[in-house]
């Protein structure tokens, strides 16, 4: 909150933040370090998760094709 206040942390967005997003997937990092958390509006939170999903799918595809 000190850095972003109550708005979304995306520079071009002025919507209120609705969720705190882990910029490093918590399932892997088990980390709540504030340096890796970002307040996001609902729309940007959905975008962040869709990007994470696409990256994971590409990694799985690449790993499978290397076998």
């Amino acid at each position: 909150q000190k850095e972003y206040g109550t708005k979304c942390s995306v520079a071009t967005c002025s919507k209120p933040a609705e969720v705190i997003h882990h910029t490093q997937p918590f399932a892997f990092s088990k980390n709540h370090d504030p340096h890796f958390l970002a307040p996001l509006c609902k729309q940007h939170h959905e975008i962040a998760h869709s990007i994470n999903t696409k990256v994971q799918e590409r990694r799985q595809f690449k790993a499978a094709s290397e076998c």
Side-chain angles (χ1 to χ4, degrees):
Q1 275 188 322
K2 287 180 183 180
E3 190 171 349
Y4 297 104
T6 59
K7 75 172 203 75
C8 181
S9 61
V10 174
T12 57
C13 185
S14 60
K15 295 178 184 173
E18 296 183 36
V19 295
I20 301 296
H21 176 70
H22 287 86
T23 59
Q24 294 181 341
F26 181 76
F28 300 117
S29 69
K30 304 290 191 239
N31 188 352
H32 290 302
D33 183 331
H35 293 100
F36 301 108
L37 299 175
L40 296 175
C41 67
K42 183 178 178 181
Q43 180 182 7
H44 283 118
H45 188 240
E46 289 174 3
I47 291 168
H49 278 277
S50 70
I51 291 169
N52 287 347
T53 300
K54 289 178 184 178
V55 168
Q56 289 174 358
E57 288 171 354
R58 287 183 184 173
R59 285 181 181 162
Q60 290 172 351
F61 178 76
K62 184 177 178 182
S65 65
E66 291 176 351
C67 292

